[in-house]
Amino acid sequence: MSDEKETVEIENRTDRWRFVCPRGHRSWEPTNHHFWCAKCARRDDVDGVFHRLRDRRDGGLLERDQVRLLTPVGPYDRDLDRRESA
């Protein structure tokens, strides 16, 4: 298993189709070192908070610390999303 993080560009349409909440929604947002899904939050029987993104390419689940989230101005969260020095 590689120590390299999967990069997800939050505002990239292709990444939004590829990386979804565990229930398959694209309406997720990062928050406080985890994720939140608007569609899940609307349901009475599901919590909108989750800790793993599903990669639709292979069906795998990625923990928050396995993902490097990028915005147009740089890393989303400095302590989790900065590029590690080699």
Side-chain angles (χ1 to χ4, degrees), residues 5-84:
K5 293 183 177 192
E6 185 71 53
T7 297
V8 177
E9 293 181 25
I10 296 171
E11 295 184 27
N12 178 293
R13 186 174 229 159
T14 301
D15 281 359
R16 283 298 182 145
W17 277 96
R18 179 178 171 191
F19 298 98
V20 295
C21 85
R23 290 177 181 80
H25 305 130
R26 295 184 316 273
S27 59
W28 61 269
E29 296 298 331
T31 179
N32 300 327
H33 295 141
H34 59 272
F35 304 100
W36 179 82
C37 176
K39 282 194 175 185
C40 288
R42 288 186 199 119
R43 295 180 50 162
D44 291 332
D45 60 337
V46 176
D47 188 354
V49 173
F50 62 99
H51 297 274
R52 297 183 294 177
L53 282 179
R54 181 169 307 281
D55 184 346
R56 291 182 57 200
R57 182 178 290 169
D58 64 9
L61 291 169
L62 298 166
E63 297 286 339
R64 174 60 181 96
D65 63 355
Q66 294 176 301
V67 178
R68 180 174 184 250
L69 299 175
L70 293 181
T71 69
V73 295
Y76 175 79
D77 222 341
R78 288 194 142 170
D79 60 332
L80 287 176
D81 299 322
R82 67 189 180 340
R83 185 168 302 277
E84 310 299 334

